[in-house]
Amino acid sequence: AGRTNRRRGRDAPPPPAADAANEHDVPETLRKAIEASAAWTPPGPVDHAAQMASVPPDRDFSSFRRQIDRWVAEGVVTPFPEGSVCELLFRSRREEDADDDDATEDANAAAGATARLRPVRTGGASSAETYYGVGGMGSIPLAMRDRCLSFDAAGENDDRSFRIRQDVWVSPSNGVQYIGDGNDDGPKWELFANGQSMGRFHKLVIAHNGKCADRIMSQTPAKELHSLLRTRFAPYVPRWGGKEMTLNSIYSLVFVAKGGCLDDALRKLSSGSADDPLPYTIMIKNEPNLRLLSCNTRKHKHKLNPRNDNSQVWTLLSSPQFGKQFKGPQENLPPALVETVTIEMLTSLERALNIPKGTIAEAVKDVKLQLWGAAVPMNTWRTAAIDG
């Protein structure tokens, strides 16, 4: 057998340029929305962090592709419609000059457009297939749970083969103990929570990539495996991938905007006709503070909900550099920081869409800001084994 071990990542981009918080005039409606964000309930499914599942076009992912196919058949996930995933890019002067015969492009250039939308091909032999969860990305873990529960021998006894324990804290210090004694048939691990044993198990899966996973396995005799769990926090990794798993922090801003101010901006930046469907998800590549914009209303069909009016629910994800610059306590963001980050992200989106400052901020009526950290890796460990 042969094995390769490498990290894959991206070079460090330039640091973000952000306005000082005291330079912002916060609209009263937005200020009230920030103050009331804890009590806000969206009118339909919302994807706060994870936005899509992608299947790269190579045979190394054949098992994952089969799983995705099963989920599609079961109605758990569905493919993004053609043209519904786009990139938001800089428009170069060469592009503007080359498109003089196109009335739509002419209008954009005359208006001083510095951005353009470009559809991303999804599917096919040379591009990744992309899917989203039906009713939200939470449909995927729910399907995994139901699959596990299906193994239970219902009615035979009370000791089920699969059990879910929620709100249980397994301490990174002594919550996992190795009890293997050389007997291949015996259990190898014992879990503890609040000083009490949670049971003994033959196999243990750590589905976590944060520093707690590093600490919780620090006493394992499998030292080489433990070395893969070591992590660091940084907004970038070197091109060759680095030696450790690198995690980064990003802000997720879910906001409700009145009317169609974002749709109007997107139509102006699109090279298609006014009747073409608008994108569900946009990869932002012309603004260093941001990375992604997604319309939950369009993706999850909020308009079918009678509670919804003409407003749209959007998710806006920051860049890792922005997350580091405005880092705060993840579980308890100070109100002043929430206001600063919210305004900075909305202002950055206005720049990216080439619309006047305040256009989006004045249209927002509900917001929810979250900081995501440990679940956001910048690189991955890849292995290739050859059975001989």
Side-chain angles (χ1 to χ4, degrees), residues 4 9 35 37 72 81 103 120 147 199 203 221 224 255 274 284 292 319 346 382 384:
T4 60
E35 294 172 353
S37 61
V72 170
V120 175
R147 172 69 172 167
K203 295 183 179 180
E224 292 186 6
F255 64 94
I284 302 175
L292 182 140
S319 66
L346 294 177
R382 300 194 68 185

Side-chain angles (χ1 to χ4, degrees), residues 100-151:
D100 282 343
D101 293 335
D102 189 302
T104 302
E105 300 291 345
D106 255 353
N108 290 343
T114 58
R116 64 183 177 96
L117 272 180
R118 182 179 71 182
V120 175
R121 185 181 179 189
T122 56
S126 61
S127 58
E129 301 170 13
T130 56
Y131 302 82
Y132 64 95
V134 176
M137 293 299 287
S139 64
I140 295 178
L142 290 177
M144 296 169 67
R145 176 205 64 184
D146 293 343
R147 172 69 172 167
C148 292
L149 290 173
S150 71
F151 292 109

Side-chain angles (χ1 to χ4, degrees), residues 233 249 251 322-330 333 337 371 373:
F233 272 84
S249 299
Y251 276 101
F322 182 91
K324 180 180 181 180
Q325 181 178 357
F326 293 96
K327 182 76 173 174
Q330 188 167 332
L333 295 174
L337 180 61
L371 178 62

Side-chain angles (χ1 to χ4, degrees), residues 268 346-347 350-351 353-362:
K268 291 179 180 178
L346 294 177
T347 302
E350 291 164 349
R351 284 198 302 266
L353 296 175
N354 196 46
I355 57 180
K357 183 177 179 180
T359 301
I360 299 176
E362 293 173 359

Side-chain angles (χ1 to χ4, degrees), residues 58-69:
D58 59 60
R59 62 190 183 97
D60 290 345
F61 293 88
S62 57
S63 296
F64 184 54
R65 188 186 310 278
R66 288 194 295 272
Q67 179 62 67
I68 287 288
D69 289 342

Side-chain angles (χ1 to χ4, degrees), residues 30-231:
L30 177 57
R31 190 183 300 277
K32 290 181 178 179
I34 294 173
E35 294 172 353
S37 61
W40 174 60
T41 301
V46 168
D47 291 326
H48 292 267
Q51 300 292 321
M52 64 178 64
S54 297
V55 184
D58 59 60
R59 62 190 183 97
D60 290 345
F61 293 88
S62 57
S63 296
F64 184 54
R65 188 186 310 278
R66 288 194 295 272
Q67 179 62 67
I68 287 288
D69 289 342
R70 285 196 291 269
W71 282 337
V72 170
E74 295 168 0
V76 177
V77 301
T78 189
F80 276 88
E82 187 67 29
S84 64
V85 179
C86 293
E87 294 176 319
L88 184 57
L89 306 168
F90 283 111
R91 176 192 300 280
S92 68
R93 174 56 59 184
R94 180 185 304 173
E95 288 175 308
E96 292 176 3
D97 294 340
D99 290 330
D100 282 343
D101 293 335
D102 189 302
T104 302
E105 300 291 345
D106 255 353
N108 290 343
T114 58
R116 64 183 177 96
L117 272 180
R118 182 179 71 182
V120 175
R121 185 181 179 189
T122 56
S126 61
S127 58
E129 301 170 13
T130 56
Y131 302 82
Y132 64 95
V134 176
M137 293 299 287
S139 64
I140 295 178
L142 290 177
M144 296 169 67
R145 176 205 64 184
D146 293 343
R147 172 69 172 167
C148 292
L149 290 173
S150 71
F151 292 109
D152 290 342
E156 292 185 7
N157 52 58
D158 292 332
D159 187 16
R160 299 184 303 166
S161 61
F162 182 83
R163 287 173 292 168
I164 296 177
R165 301 276 186 92
Q166 293 181 284
D167 298 323
V168 175
W169 173 248
V170 178
S171 170
S173 301
N174 54 14
V176 174
Q177 295 184 13
Y178 180 74
I179 58 172
D181 57 2
N183 180 3
D184 291 340
D185 296 330
K188 302 292 190 296
W189 307 95
E190 186 168 8
L191 300 187
F192 293 87
N194 297 323
Q196 307 218 342
S197 175
M198 301 287 292
R200 295 186 170 192
F201 305 91
H202 288 76
K203 295 183 179 180
L204 181 67
V205 178
I206 305 293
H208 193 309
N209 63 3
K211 293 185 177 180
C212 288
D214 179 8
R215 292 176 56 198
I216 206 169
M217 295 304 295
S218 60
Q219 301 303 314
T220 177
K223 297 303 180 184
E224 292 186 6
L225 177 63
H226 172 241
S227 67
L228 299 177
L229 300 175
R230 292 175 184 151
T231 61

